[in-house]
Amino acid sequence: MKTPQYRTAIIRKEHFNAAHRLHNAHWSDEKNKEVFGKCNNPHYHGHNYDLEVKIIGICNPETGYVMDTKVLSELIKTNILTPLDHKNLNLEVEDFKNLNPTVEHIAMVIYDRLRSHIDPALELKIKLYETERNYAEYPY
Amino acid sequence: MKTPQYRTAIIRKEHFNAAHRLHNAHWSDEKNKEVFGKCNNPHYHGHNYDLEVKIIGICNPETGYVMDTKVLSELIKTNILTPLDHKNLNLEVEDFKNLNPTVEHIAMVIYDRLRSHIDPALELKIKLYETERNYAEYPY
Amino acid sequence: MKTPQYRTAIIRKEHFNAAHRLHNAHWSDEKNKEVFGKCNNPHYHGHNYDLEVKIIGICNPETGYVMDTKVLSELIKTNILTPLDHKNLNLEVEDFKNLNPTVEHIAMVIYDRLRSHIDPALELKIKLYETERNYAEYPY
Amino acid sequence: MKTPQYRTAIIRKEHFNAAHRLHNAHWSDEKNKEVFGKCNNPHYHGHNYDLEVKIIGICNPETGYVMDTKVLSELIKTNILTPLDHKNLNLEVEDFKNLNPTVEHIAMVIYDRLRSHIDPALELKIKLYETERNYAEYPY
Amino acid sequence: MKTPQYRTAIIRKEHFNAAHRLHNAHWSDEKNKEVFGKCNNPHYHGHNYDLEVKIIGICNPETGYVMDTKVLSELIKTNILTPLDHKNLNLEVEDFKNLNPTVEHIAMVIYDRLRSHIDPALELKIKLYETERNYAEYPY
Amino acid sequence: MKTPQYRTAIIRKEHFNAAHRLHNAHWSDEKNKEVFGKCNNPHYHGHNYDLEVKIIGICNPETGYVMDTKVLSELIKTNILTPLDHKNLNLEVEDFKNLNPTVEHIAMVIYDRLRSHIDPALELKIKLYETERNYAEYPY
């Protein structure tokens, strides 16, 4: 094989389940209801979140790895699944105390939680499915 | 084609999102925690529920339908999706006031809610996915 | 391992694409429109059909096969995919000259086309997906 | 959370079913048959089209939305699903009167139909699955 | 809810990866090659096996469980995944020393390994995917 | 439709099954075991590899194709599936004689094997799934 001259991406999928509601505390109940509809239900609803963490960089020729996915999987378990899985995002996760837990914002939070644990030479991208039909990518 | 002499099944898939917690009110907090683990979280967690409703019977030779899936889809919307989607099953759905909302019990509730709306000559079966890896079938 | 005393099933998935319309030639245009809605469009619409053929019987201890799925795959190609794939079911497939091509009826036609090619000691069942959300099983 | 400094994408999936044939009216029947094979069948065939519409931009900090997917879903229903679902693309959809309805061209048509309805500050991308094994992305 | 009078099924999905070859030691190389084709490759090939374990019985009204899927998942890990995952089935798994590792036979082996660990009042069924297009069910 | 001014991508999915082990011949057995864990099993294990080949370029207005996916599918069969399917990558595929068959390296090998067969005006990208939860993209 010719020496690889391009960057390679490796992707690891994980999943977690959580409850949430969409709500902006600076708005009236009417405006919240109007903007967020049934997602504003004060008793919460929930989702199975499917998470894809992508790591981009030069493949190490000795291991054939961009990054060991076993190591990546452990980082995701410790920093994302343990604090978020089977939790109420609004009530139990500090990051959403003042941040509306839309799928876009949850993807950003996951990025921020993982970024410092990944080699700075590697690029990081998050894809998060809220349902089979709605998902977010951050950063794009 | 030879006259069809066997029964045929037609299946319609729908989905809804809900929050729940597993809890038996007759038990101590310790026993609930021991039996239901993180599913007992008092702040709730949630799921994307994927539902398959199966109708079994003799195919009508004039229409080629066991049952019109547009009609079936409307019945599911009215009797299942409207009352359950984006709801907290424990707090907002009467059927679970005294019934633990496990995937088995939710499948039974869906069966009971639909049975009277379906022609008694047709058999009804429910398959309910709580996650991609856990699901229930009722009746079996 | 103990001698297998139960029946085993082996399933092969294949797929084809076709155009069709739902229509009963003995009915008025109004009744066809009322019963079949947009599926009655005289210009046709189409689907990617996903087909599962299940063969049930005693596993041959010498081969470990209920039936060789390579053989089964060839039977499906010859008897189902060649005559149905990329075809207009109403105009080009003899079986639907007087039979409305609902997913239930197409499943029956596939059963009838395959049954004589399969060892009579083996049971045959058809599952046919018209879309991800609607499918039929025959016989049930 | 740090102020989000990157663009975010939000994706909505929808689907429709349609009939089509591949054909270039400026070519002979022989050349059409040679280039498009069984996709040139004059009686049409059909597909279940799975559509992903991606919107890319800066996430609104007040709502946590790049764009409200309920609004996006309505735009797709009005501009894409209503005119294309259960239709014969060659005969019933104006855009394909002089344009071969390959999956690449259908993706372009969907882009052109949606672009003017989306805030110009937001980037738009289309992914369209013709089958599970063939799909197009536009623009790339 | 009416007292549940029917049996309920609960299903848990797991997966493992393994190498194997199809081979009958009592046959000549020619016959093995003829019957098993490229699956007879003496250097082995491999699969991602997707496993569904179904437990059928009366739902316990106190827990709402037919069987706790956390307990079931642990039984599958200990008795199936640990001995089979990332293994060469022909060389490293005792059950296949004299048994051809077809998907039918692997499903039977999984059934026999789990049966004694499950309450005899509960029925057990195995579904095993060798690829997306071939799978087995045992017992049927 | 306005003249298409953007590049379009067309993607074709194929799959193959293979056995492999992760191993660096310049390392001690201990180091190999430590780095690659159960993937270092000397008896091999295996996977169902799902492959997506993406071709990017300007869509030909006469055909409506970026590239004919029937032609692309044949190129993949000849250059990738025939040499890799149902093979032991370490023992039977020349490209991996001195190259560890990680999913990243297999994606690079597939790129190198296809590149010369594709029009240089078209960009080529490979996505390769080793399992449902791990995959690689090359080049990124």
Side-chain angles (χ1 to χ4, degrees), chain F:
Chain F
M1 201 183 66
K2 290 166 267 168
T3 312
Q5 67 265 54
Y6 303 120
R7 296 199 308 161
T8 308
I10 186 82
I11 296 91
R12 175 73 188 173
K13 297 190 189 183
E14 301 283 352
H15 59 95
F16 59 94
N17 312 311
H20 79 154
R21 73 179 293 212
L22 300 187
H23 188 74
N24 181 329
H26 301 99
W27 290 354
S28 67
D29 285 0
E30 288 70 27
K31 180 150 188 198
N32 270 295
K33 183 100 187 187
E34 182 197 323
V35 173
F36 297 120
K38 61 186 177 180
C39 298
N40 184 239
N41 181 346
H43 296 296
Y44 309 100
H45 63 285
H47 295 289
N48 303 334
Y49 289 95
D50 281 311
L51 169 64
E52 292 191 23
V53 176
K54 181 185 282 192
I55 303 291
I56 307 152
I58 296 299
C59 192
N60 179 324
E62 279 209 309
T63 57
Y65 285 162
V66 173
M67 178 177 174
D68 185 340
T69 54
K70 292 187 300 296
V71 173
L72 179 57
S73 179
E74 285 306 313
L75 283 176
I76 300 170
K77 284 199 183 91
T78 306
N79 294 286
I80 310 299
L81 304 191
T82 300
L84 268 55
D85 188 33
H86 280 73
K87 292 291 166 59
N88 183 309
L89 300 181
N90 303 66
L91 298 180
E92 299 181 282
V93 181
E94 187 64 28
D95 315 65
F96 300 108
K97 281 289 150 62
N98 298 300
L99 188 72
N100 199 16
T102 58
V103 66
E104 293 97 321
H105 277 164
I106 305 172
M108 291 176 191
V109 162
I110 291 171
Y111 178 87
D112 281 354
R113 279 176 167 262
L114 286 176
R115 184 60 272 191
S116 62
H117 300 282
I118 310 280
D119 178 346
L122 298 170
E123 195 177 349
L124 170 67
K125 286 179 179 292
I126 304 299
K127 187 186 284 192
L128 185 68
Y129 288 80
E130 189 173 73
T131 71
E132 280 193 8
R133 304 180 75 174
N134 284 319
Y135 64 96
E137 296 178 357
Y138 179 82
Y140 189 77

Side-chain angles (χ1 to χ4, degrees), chain A residues 108 137-140, chain D residues 4-9 56-59 66 121-123 125:
Chain A
M108 290 175 191
E137 295 179 357
Y138 180 82
Y140 187 78
Chain D
Q5 67 266 54
Y6 302 120
R7 297 199 309 161
T8 307
I56 307 153
I58 296 299
C59 192
V66 172
L122 298 170
E123 194 177 349
K125 286 178 178 293

Side-chain angles (χ1 to χ4, degrees), chain A residues 8-24:
Chain A
T8 308
I10 186 84
I11 296 91
R12 175 74 189 172
K13 297 190 188 181
E14 302 282 352
H15 59 96
F16 59 94
N17 312 312
H20 80 152
R21 74 178 293 214
L22 299 188
H23 188 75
N24 181 329

